[in-house]
Amino acid sequence: MTKRDVFEYALVRVVPRMERGECFNAGVIVYCRAHTYVAARIHLDEAKLLALDPGADVAGVRAALRGVEGVCSGGADAGQAAGDDAGRRFRWLIAPRSTVVQPGPVHTGLTADPAAEVERLLDLLVR
């Protein structure tokens, strides 16, 4: 039997018009402490974004989503979080915020391969 470790994940949601509260999933963030792993995968459905808000700033939303990926990857792309460990970057990304790009609630599971898990969850919950 393959050893499986606990992982946490949160969906990344796009809320084009805060006053309406409508949202859709545009990505997933996965964190696994045992593997010192944190990663985000993004898939922005532009048609869905423009259906909810025809005046949406698509380039701005894409930039915010790239920022989530950058914080996960660490290094220079992580900005102020560059020196933080994987767990701290994950916790920063899942903190509630009132912006167009927001984290959903955190869920847990077991995995032997966190990198495969992030891809599986993207296919299952976002695409």
Side-chain angles (χ1 to χ4, degrees):
M1 183 169 169
T2 304
K3 180 180 182 289
R4 297 187 313 161
D5 296 299
V6 173
F7 75 97
E8 299 173 73
Y9 74 93
L11 290 167
V12 179
R13 297 176 175 167
V14 173
V15 185
R17 294 178 56 194
M18 298 292 291
E19 70 278 9
R20 292 183 60 121
E22 298 167 332
C23 66
F24 65 95
N25 299 335
V28 64
I29 307 166
V30 168
Y31 169 61
C32 182
R33 181 178 175 196
H35 291 258
T36 316
Y37 179 87
V38 64
R41 294 295 180 271
I42 302 298
H43 174 80
L44 178 62
D45 185 334
E46 287 185 22
K48 195 177 286 187
L49 173 60
L50 293 171
L52 292 174
D53 182 3
D57 177 3
V58 176
V61 171
R62 278 205 181 283
L65 291 169
R66 276 193 308 273
V68 170
E69 290 177 313
V71 169
C72 284
S73 67
D77 290 337
Q80 290 181 314
D84 292 342
D85 63 35
R88 191 170 172 124
R89 291 193 317 270
F90 177 73
R91 298 284 173 239
W92 184 81
L93 287 168
I94 63 164
R97 52 185 51 95
S98 295
T99 59
V100 172
V101 174
Q102 301 178 5
V106 176
H107 305 280
T108 61
L110 294 171
T111 188
D113 185 354
E117 200 64 46
V118 72
E119 296 298 335
R120 184 186 76 79
L121 290 170
L122 183 71
D123 287 339
L124 179 67
L125 303 172
V126 178
R127 290 190 179 141

